Amino acid sequence: MKPDLTRLLFACACASLPAASSAESAQVRPVDLVHAVPLLTESGRAGYSRFLRIGIRPRAFALNMNGDWAWNAGEGAVTDALARCEAHGLPCQLYAVDEEVVMPGFELGAPLRALGGPLVQGDPQ
């Protein structure tokens, strides 16, 4: 098939699909998946939930390999979150900044799916 014909057929096929409702088109963002954040205890998940609700920008959430975490919002959020997290004694890494997951490998929620987490099994927590 010629490339132009392929594009035309694809466009026609997509045009014939029913439009998604607004509820169906609203997708969960990886940053909103509390159970996707690695290494956190229940208190850490509660802290991450508070981080998600804060309206101040910029905001940053950091964690380390022991599950220690810290977040901060406002001017200097990134450096302050990292410093507060590292006060626990280990190097920390940013997990999320504002509305984005910035930890390499977690941007799309892929590790959660690979590990078979509760969201994969239909538990909406």
Side-chain angles (χ1 to χ4, degrees):
M1 227 184 268
K2 294 183 179 178
D4 290 334
L5 183 56
T6 303
R7 277 193 287 258
L8 178 62
L9 291 173
F10 181 73
C12 290
C14 289
S16 67
L17 294 174
S21 70
S22 61
E24 291 174 11
S25 62
Q27 295 189 7
V28 176
R29 302 172 305 169
V31 74
D32 295 327
L33 301 175
V34 176
H35 282 83
V37 184
L39 306 171
L40 293 182
T41 62
E42 285 307 310
S43 67
R45 295 195 191 291
Y48 187 72
S49 293
R50 285 190 301 276
F51 162 78
L52 291 175
R53 289 191 304 270
I54 194 74
I56 301 168
R57 301 293 184 273
R59 64 181 184 176
F61 188 92
L63 61 116
N64 68 24
M65 290 178 47
N66 279 349
D68 300 317
W69 55 274
W71 65 267
N72 209 333
E75 188 176 331
V78 169
T79 55
D80 291 346
L82 285 169
R84 289 179 58 209
C85 181
E86 290 177 353
H88 293 282
L90 288 176
C92 291
Q93 184 171 1
L94 290 173
Y95 178 78
V97 176
D98 292 334
E99 309 303 322
E100 302 294 323
V101 174
V102 296
M103 182 176 275
F106 286 81
E107 302 92 338
L108 302 176
L112 179 67
R113 288 191 300 277
L115 294 173
L119 291 173
V120 176
Q121 298 160 3
D123 184 0
Q125 293 183 10

